[in-house]
Amino acid sequence: MGLLSAVLPIVQCDSDSSLAASALKSVRTAVSVPETELKRWRRIFDTNSKLINGERYLDPDSFVNAIAPAGDLSKIGKAQFAILFKVADHSKRGLISWEDFIVFETLLKRPDADYWMAFQFFDVDNSGYIDFDEFKNVMSANIGSDAIPFDFDCDWVKLYLGRKNGTHVLGYNEFTQLMKGLQGERLRQAFKYLDKDQDGFIKPDEFKRIILEIAGHKLSDAVIDRLPTLCTLSPGQRISYSEVIAFHNVIREMDMVERIIREATASSKDGRINQSNFLDYASSSSRYSLFTPMEASIIFHFAGRGNGDQRLALLDFAQLLDPRWVAPHDAVETKKQTSTSLLHTIGHSAYSFVQGGFAGAIGATIVYPIDMVKTRMQNQRSTVVGQVLYKNSIDCARKILLNEGFRGLYRGLGPQLVGVAPEKAIKLTVNDLIRSRAMDPETGRIKLGWELVAGGTAGGCQVIFTNPLEIVKIRLQVQGEAAKAEGAVPRGAMHIIRQLGLVGLYKGASACLLRDIPFSAIYFPAYGHLKSDVFKEGYNGKQLSFMETLAAAGIAGMPAAYFTTPADVVKTRLQVEARKGQTHYKGLQDAFVKIYQEEGFRALFKGGPARVLRSSPQFGFTLLAYEQLKKILPYPWDDKPRRVETALTSRPDEISKIRARNALKILLDVHGDFGRRAAASGDKLSLISPKLYSRKD
């Protein structure tokens, strides 16, 4: 209770500023509030406070603006935070000074601030204890006369507070346990009150009334509207006490329900689960069985809109997990139809095409020296005497630098950049387009067959740009060694294009297809599964970091690059202009046979390591740039994917605001009218009776 002893002087001080300053100093010492934190509090206070009689104060409205979370993922209205004004207003003057505010923020730094705030709300006389009359008066003043009555003479209350004469009072620790069990006692009493004939059943509308009073702030409007349908789970069109308790347990353990659903759907092959899957995963992820079959039936009943036997995706559970969930209406459907129109598809694809082009240029520039080494190694003929110029990739890079300088490593980069933009752009765009059409809109999953089709089709389409680009690039890259061996004069890209002609630019296209189709068919599925299965993208709302995205993109390129090396070797041999004494190849099959017969099987994997070293980082940086461009500059008219956003997946607020919200939730668990009545009436201070709220001298 060290913090309590530090705070009490401020709570009890009145207008003595020196006493307030001394108490403030003791608070800062007790909790070690850093100077930066005090400056931040001061900015918040100055931003929201008003000048009254020459001093700055927070009134109830400005206090709410100062403490309420910016984007609360619940149904708690911002105005309801005015209920905490009474806790912060220690002097009971209807205004909060800087000293009051700093005490309030300091209290929020307590790990148990939520329960401590609730305790202060009930401890009207600031005695540090709560007696029977305080508990009864505060609760009665805030639940309203039209609420289901609560029997304060029940045995449950007596266990905590004793009889009316106050033979026993609650300290802070005892109060926290009372509050934790209070909702269950209210539920029991409410059921007993409405069960007039004491047969253990109530009507559906009576069940809805109970839940609205104690948990309406935790449920979406869609679930609230369908509360009476709980009677369909058992014969008789009425609801038993067991079903009421089961529903309450589901609400109370909603965070655990959400974790199990998210993890179970993420590990499911089709992204969907049924009741058995839910119960199995719940049992495997906890020491004891967390949920009964009845509770699982209730979860799937409301998520499945009355059909609890079907397999459901995470999106189906949104209305149960997210209190703010709103059913899609015709306007949303109209937007969806518009977004799937031909014009929208063309616009989105064009936008992705441009982004893919920029991303491809970035990746190609970074790894071009590796590509130069790879091409020189693959073009080296081991059967021609005097043509073995390079011992290995490192020796090749060293000799290029020695004989041609640093610029030699980037020979042919110009045509590469001109062609790589449409090449990578069309690959990324086609892959995204096919995946988006084949993807399950509810689970976001895509079958492996469609992943292969999307990747393979993307690889095939890119050959339109890839083949002319690479034949020019390759001939430029080998000019350096030809000039050294034969004294030939290097020619420019336009000379090579005129020399080849349109048909010649597609020489070796069959080998290019044989390389690019399987490459992309391997690469894109591997990239997708590395992100989702290894790095857990989307798992409980997780977004991959910069390095995780780069790692996934780079690792996926390794098997794709190495296993397609034979096709790349053949393509290189077909596209390079053979010099005197070198073997000439008639076509794809002839090249495979002659390379194997003359140089052996290992020759088909020449430049394989260099290809892995080039393709892996190139696609790593390309996909990284592409993903970042999509995040930074998303398509302006794109439909936002439907996601289940809750407190578990959202970016957390400041811990102090979270604790303030949780304190309010504890009070709302007593009754849903806490805070709402004051907000509706416009009187932010009529939260308890005037007699109780008056200052005690």
Side-chain angles (χ1 to χ4, degrees), residues 183-189 191 202 207 210-211 214 230 239-253 292 294-295 298:
Q183 193 177 68
E185 176 62 17
R186 289 205 65 239
L187 184 72
R188 185 192 69 80
Q189 288 194 21
F191 187 93
I202 58 175
F207 165 68
I210 293 174
I211 298 303
I214 65 173
L230 187 64
I239 298 173
S240 68
Y241 182 65
S242 298
E243 289 170 324
V244 175
I245 292 297
F247 186 85
H248 178 249
N249 288 343
V250 169
I251 298 174
R252 188 174 58 186
E253 299 292 342
T292 65
M294 178 181 285
E295 290 163 359
I298 289 172

Side-chain angles (χ1 to χ4, degrees), residues 209-281:
R209 181 184 175 188
I210 293 174
I211 298 303
L212 279 176
E213 287 200 7
I214 65 173
H217 59 288
K218 296 180 178 180
L219 300 172
S220 68
D221 292 339
V223 172
I224 290 173
D225 290 341
R226 295 180 55 249
L227 284 175
T229 66
L230 187 64
C231 67
T232 61
L233 291 182
S234 57
Q237 300 298 303
R238 293 198 299 167
I239 298 173
S240 68
Y241 182 65
S242 298
E243 289 170 324
V244 175
I245 292 297
F247 186 85
H248 178 249
N249 288 343
V250 169
I251 298 174
R252 188 174 58 186
E253 299 292 342
M254 191 60 76
D255 284 345
M256 183 57 68
V257 170
E258 180 176 349
R259 289 185 187 278
I260 291 172
I261 289 172
R262 286 186 181 276
E263 293 176 13
T265 53
S267 61
S268 171
K269 290 184 178 180
D270 61 353
R272 299 173 185 272
I273 58 172
N274 56 23
Q275 291 186 42
S276 297
N277 301 141
F278 175 85
L279 289 171
D280 289 342
Y281 198 90

Side-chain angles (χ1 to χ4, degrees), residues 619-632:
F619 275 89
F621 286 111
T622 298
L623 264 294
L624 177 63
Y626 185 61
E627 298 278 11
Q628 294 301 316
L629 283 171
K630 288 198 295 184
K631 289 180 182 178
I632 298 170

Side-chain angles (χ1 to χ4, degrees), residues 1-9 26-31 107 110 116:
M1 300 294 286
L3 181 61
L4 176 60
S5 62
V7 171
L8 279 177
S26 64
V27 170
R28 289 182 57 187
T29 303
V31 295
L107 289 175
R110 290 177 59 119
W116 181 253

